Amino acid sequence: MALSDDEDEQLQLAIALSKQHPSDTPPSTAPVTNLGDSSDDNDDDELQRAVELSKRHLTNTAPSTAPVIDLVDSDAETEDENEHPGFSAVAPVNLVDDEDEDEDFKRAIALSLQDQGHAESSVQTELEVRPGTCEVKTSADIPTTQKVITTNFLGLDRKAMEQERLARMGKRKREDEPEKPSKMVVRKMSPDRDVAVVERLATKDSQGTDSIPDPKSTSKKAEESQDHSSLRYPKGVVKRTWAFKHPRTNDIKIEELVQKETLKIAVLSSFDFDAEWAYEKIDPYKHKQVWIMNAKGKDIQDNWRETAVTSRVPNLRVHFPPMEGSIQKMHSKLMLLIHGEHMRIVVPTANWTKYDWGETNKTPGGHMWQGAVMENSAFIVDVPRRKDGEIGNSEDLTGFGKQLLQFLEAQELSENVSRGILKFDLSSTQHLGFVHSIGGSHSDGADKRTGFPGLRTTLRRLGLAGAAQLEIDYASSSLGALNPTFLKQMYEAAGGAAISETEVLKRWRIYFPSKQTVEQSTGGADCGGTITLNRAYWNAATFPKQCLREYKSTRSGVLSHNKILLARGTLKDGKPFAWAYVGSANLSESAWGRQKVLKSGKLGKLVIPNWECGVVVPVPGEVLEKLELGKGEVPPMSVFEGTIEVPFQYPGEEYGGKEPWFFRD
């Protein structure tokens, strides 16, 4: 069977890596990543053996303990091991005093880490997946392949491991950086080819652009940097993610967001992690981290925990929220970034991958040249530490703070994390709403606080419910099995008055890209893997096709992973209003929940398959007061200027005869 260039290169890499390990190396319990879906590929014994051997990790090194992440006391380093299964109780990692680090131990770290496939639940009600191979359109003289390589915890090891091996073999060479990236394709196999493949994929630029810095080489500037005395975003702000090769507007880079010079602790929730890229942005040698991850099934979660231990990545703890029963995905995106004097709360639409934050692959010299292929948005608010240094009372929190705390507790994070937010003053969030979807089944009042009913409750608190008129524009990167009944539930949850299913379809505009838009984007069709709609949903008689609008970014050629709801209208007293939701929830029952009306007329249980979270940001009253609206008019889309930079062209083209972008079509 003939292999493509990419398949051939992956095969060479797998074979090359497999030759580094003795045949009696104990196999990992982690699942082996399949390089293809073809049955012919599965029949290739050499490929399967190479893949399996290359994915094994050495288990003879003693596992390290996971760091204790304590938002209440950031100096705390110990905790009862029984609270954290999967981690053994040995001495905790000390970030401050690293002079006693054993060089052999460091070498063991580099050699012990091996690549594993990121296992996921095979059951996904909503079809968001990682793009496997994202081939970016290029000019004829610049061949390249953009790939989203989602790793587990191996980001620290590959470069160190390969450099040491190549040095021992005497094969290490210094080469000038090529002006343009090249695949270095060689069709015939040889020992030198093995080395070339590994060297090309594993080695970064000599300046260490993509490497983890030595903890002993901390710059004087970083050592002397102090926490920001003034908060950058005390009232909250929504920003677009930066996009390489596009003009900067109201956007933000991941480095600007993280503020790693003063960062102490990072709690990161994401459906997907690109570990190697994440380590560039938040140094595990310097910053304690909790990764809240997606994995359905205890066996998969245990594999991740074991990998976290054996990989010996310092200061990293992995956590999984409850995933039993009807819960299918941990899809929420949330960051709690703890600094000396403040906490930055971030609710993005982006995962922890380079493409979601506007970056693309780099040349061997560490330089990007391909323009961004994907964009997102992020809500950001900075809150100060309490002046009295005490732990506050949860009853004194704002509505935003109470819902955030409820979400963290529902995800069963340790009290050091969930209750740690009480060390901060969240009084500036009174005008905001934190909206969540807690996975599982809810009744007896709990159903009023989460999912789409929770959105309604939040809007009532903010004085935004009870609309006489309401128009909704929703940009979603994935669409579920939409129907008029669900859109009516969402419309009323968003504050709209009771309305017929026929009439409600006139109030919705749903922005989703057509097949043509994806294919003609900068990255092309292969970069559309996280934009999903099942053809069967579209073909259903109840799917509201008339509501769909073409999603075209205001950045030419860039695709969207945004989940943004824009609501505008007038209240029963005639006053105009407008607000935006930014978060992880796509337009689907998986994200917002489903709740049927029983024969008795009562509402049944609220069932939510996904964990999600987002923020409601109202347009300020002073902006609304300046509007001059006629009778029956609602605020125009321009009302959001200054609150959120709308990233798509509106009102958007109707689909007409065009087809949307389908998942795995």
Side-chain angles (χ1 to χ4, degrees):
M1 182 191 67
L3 297 176
S4 68
D5 290 346
D6 294 330
E7 290 171 330
D8 177 71
E9 189 171 2
Q10 289 292 330
L11 171 59
Q12 313 312 324
L13 174 60
I15 293 174
L17 290 174
S18 71
K19 293 180 180 179
Q20 299 172 30
H21 308 290
S23 60
D24 60 350
T25 301
S28 166
T29 58
V32 177
T33 301
N34 189 354
L35 297 183
D37 296 327
S38 169
S39 59
D40 292 336
D41 291 342
N42 294 334
D43 294 334
D44 191 325
D45 292 336
E46 180 182 21
L47 174 60
Q48 292 301 315
R49 178 178 177 277
V51 172
E52 181 177 356
L53 290 174
S54 70
K55 300 302 183 183
R56 294 178 178 179
H57 66 269
L58 303 180
T59 59
N60 295 331
T61 55
S64 67
T65 190
V68 175
I69 310 299
D70 189 347
L71 272 63
V72 178
D73 181 3
S74 60
D75 295 326
E77 297 283 354
T78 60
E79 193 171 20
D80 185 353
E81 61 169 316
N82 295 325
E83 294 184 13
H84 306 282
F87 297 97
S88 62
V90 295
V93 177
N94 189 337
L95 294 183
V96 180
D97 300 322
D98 53 53
E99 296 181 358
D100 294 331
E101 286 269 354
D102 190 301
E103 293 301 322
D104 290 334
F105 173 69
K106 291 181 180 179
R107 181 175 178 274
I109 293 176
L111 293 176
S112 67
L113 308 181
Q114 302 298 317
D115 192 358
Q116 299 184 124
H118 181 127
E120 287 189 55
S121 165
S122 62
V123 182
Q124 293 191 4
T125 309
E126 182 185 316
L127 295 171
E128 178 173 359
V129 295
R130 297 184 301 273
T133 300
C134 181
E135 296 194 7
V136 180
K137 293 191 296 185
T138 63
S139 58
D141 61 335
I142 310 181
T144 187
T145 298
Q146 292 281 30
K147 296 183 179 180
V148 174
I149 304 177
T150 303
T151 60
N152 42 37
F153 308 108
L154 61 88
L156 295 175
D157 73 308
R158 185 58 58 82
K159 181 178 179 181
M161 181 176 69
E162 292 307 321
Q163 286 182 340
E164 289 186 22
R165 189 178 73 84
L166 296 172
R168 291 196 301 272
M169 295 173 62
K171 298 288 185 179
R172 193 175 182 186
K173 298 178 181 180
R174 289 184 175 272
E175 297 182 354
D176 294 333
E177 176 190 337
E179 293 182 3
K180 298 172 182 178
S182 172
K183 287 186 178 180
M184 297 171 56
V185 175
V186 178
R187 305 304 300 178
K188 295 183 179 181
M189 287 295 296
S190 68
D192 289 340
R193 166 61 175 155
D194 293 350
V195 174
V197 172
V198 174
E199 184 174 27
R200 209 278 294 170
L201 293 178
T203 305
K204 305 294 183 182
D205 63 296
S206 60
Q207 297 178 350
T209 303
D210 293 324
S211 63
I212 297 298
D214 185 338
K216 295 181 180 180
S217 63
T218 305
S219 67
K220 184 176 181 181
K221 179 179 179 180
E223 290 177 341
E224 294 177 351
S225 66
Q226 297 179 351
D227 195 19
H228 303 280
S229 57
S230 60
L231 303 179
R232 184 71 184 274
Y233 307 117
K235 295 294 184 181
V237 67
V238 178
K239 287 186 171 289
R240 295 176 81 170
T241 53
W242 172 77
F244 181 55
K245 285 197 172 181
H246 289 268
R248 298 209 65 174
T249 55
N250 182 34
D251 62 15
I252 192 165
K253 290 185 176 183
I254 188 67
E255 293 85 357
E256 298 166 349
L257 184 75
V258 169
Q259 301 173 302
K260 69 179 182 180
E261 292 81 7
T262 59
L263 183 67
K264 295 182 179 295
I265 300 170
V267 179
L268 311 175
S269 174
S270 178
F271 177 73
D272 197 13
F273 286 88
D274 179 342
E276 186 173 359
W277 178 80
Y279 296 152
E280 296 175 17
K281 309 305 177 182
I282 302 180
D283 187 347
Y285 282 109
K286 299 177 182 178
H287 309 124
K288 299 177 184 179
Q289 299 179 57
V290 177
W291 287 10
I292 305 172
M293 306 181 71
N294 172 65
K296 173 78 172 177
K298 185 177 182 301
D299 55 340
I300 297 175
Q301 294 177 7
D302 287 345
N303 281 340
W304 276 105
R305 292 189 178 100
E306 179 186 358
T307 303
V309 173
T310 58
S311 295
R312 306 186 74 111
V313 178
N315 296 296
L316 173 65
R317 175 182 302 286
V318 298
H319 177 78
F320 303 96
M323 295 290 290
E324 297 82 10
S326 60
I327 305 175
Q328 298 299 328
K329 288 197 302 183
M330 201 303 300
H331 191 254
S332 63
K333 295 102 168 70
L334 174 67
M335 304 181 205
L336 303 179
L337 304 173
I338 313 302
H339 300 262
E341 296 302 323
H342 77 281
M343 173 173 63
R344 171 163 288 181
I345 303 171
V346 184
V347 182
T349 66
N351 289 308
W352 265 88
T353 64
K354 66 167 71 73
Y355 297 100
D356 272 5
W357 290 92
E359 299 184 18
T360 52
N361 284 348
K362 297 177 181 178
T363 67
H367 305 292
M368 291 185 295
W369 67 272
Q370 174 64 57
V373 298
M374 192 71 68
E375 69 176 347
N376 281 271
S377 300
F379 166 82
I380 312 161
V381 65
D382 294 330
V383 295
R385 282 192 181 272
R386 289 173 57 98
K387 294 180 180 180
D388 58 12
E390 299 296 324
I391 299 176
N393 190 322
S394 60
E395 295 301 317
D396 296 331
L397 287 171
T398 62
F400 178 98
K402 288 178 180 177
Q403 288 296 95
L404 172 59
L405 178 59
Q406 183 187 54
F407 185 66
L408 297 175
E409 290 179 338
Q411 291 202 316
E412 297 185 358
L413 288 156
S414 70
E415 283 199 4
N416 289 333
V417 174
S418 60
R419 307 291 292 183
I421 68 170
L422 297 176
K423 287 283 288 184
F424 297 87
D425 180 2
L426 275 70
S427 59
S428 64
T429 64
Q430 183 65 44
H431 65 296
L432 302 168
F434 188 88
V435 179
H436 54 61
S437 292
I438 295 175
S441 179
H442 307 272
S443 59
D444 299 329
D447 57 330
K448 301 294 191 296
R449 297 191 295 268
T450 194
F452 72 84
L455 173 62
R456 179 190 291 114
T457 300
T458 295
L459 293 174
R460 284 174 178 167
R461 179 181 63 81
L462 296 175
L464 296 171
Q469 297 182 90
L470 175 63
E471 297 289 330
I472 295 179
D473 293 76
Y474 203 129
S476 182
S477 62
S478 293
L479 296 177
L482 303 181
N483 57 70
T485 300
F486 173 67
L487 293 185
K488 182 177 184 296
Q489 285 182 319
M490 284 294 298
Y491 182 85
E492 293 174 1
I499 193 172
S500 70
E501 292 185 357
T502 301
E503 188 67 21
V504 77
L505 299 181
K506 301 176 183 179
R507 308 299 182 204
W508 279 88
R509 283 156 299 281
I510 302 168
Y511 295 79
F512 189 83
S514 68
K515 179 180 180 182
Q516 181 182 26
T517 294
V518 174
E519 290 177 339
Q520 294 179 355
S521 68
T522 301
D526 289 320
C527 286
T530 54
I531 303 171
T532 62
L533 170 61
N534 191 313
R535 182 182 284 274
Y537 297 164
W538 172 261
N539 289 336
T542 54
F543 193 91
K545 296 180 181 179
Q546 63 269 47
C547 296
L548 260 67
R549 300 292 185 271
E550 175 76 84
Y551 187 110
K552 288 187 177 180
S553 173
T554 56
R555 293 165 167 165
S556 179
V558 177
L559 296 176
S560 168
H561 191 248
N562 281 303
K563 305 101 171 64
I564 300 174
L565 188 165
L566 301 175
R568 52 204 168 87
T570 56
L571 299 173
K572 292 178 180 179
D573 61 6
K575 292 182 179 178
F577 71 89
W579 54 268
Y581 165 92
V582 177
S584 66
N586 284 301
L587 187 55
S588 71
E589 289 184 334
S590 296
W592 290 101
R594 61 179 69 96
Q595 190 172 33
K596 295 182 178 180
V597 179
L598 304 177
K599 292 181 180 180
S600 63
K602 296 181 179 180
L603 291 174
K605 291 183 178 180
L606 175 67
V607 179
I608 305 178
N610 292 0
W611 290 91
E612 310 277 4
C613 67
V615 176
V616 169
V617 183
V619 171
E622 55 266 29
V623 174
L624 298 168
E625 291 171 359
K626 297 177 182 179
L627 296 176
E628 296 182 1
L629 301 176
K631 185 177 180 179
E633 290 183 343
V634 300
M637 286 284 283
S638 59
V639 74
F640 293 104
E641 294 177 5
T643 299
I644 178 174
E645 182 177 327
V646 178
F648 52 87
Q649 300 175 21
Y650 56 82
E653 303 172 18
E654 295 188 15
Y655 262 53
K658 292 187 291 186
E659 281 194 337
W661 171 254
F662 289 122
F663 173 70
R664 289 181 179 172
D665 198 17

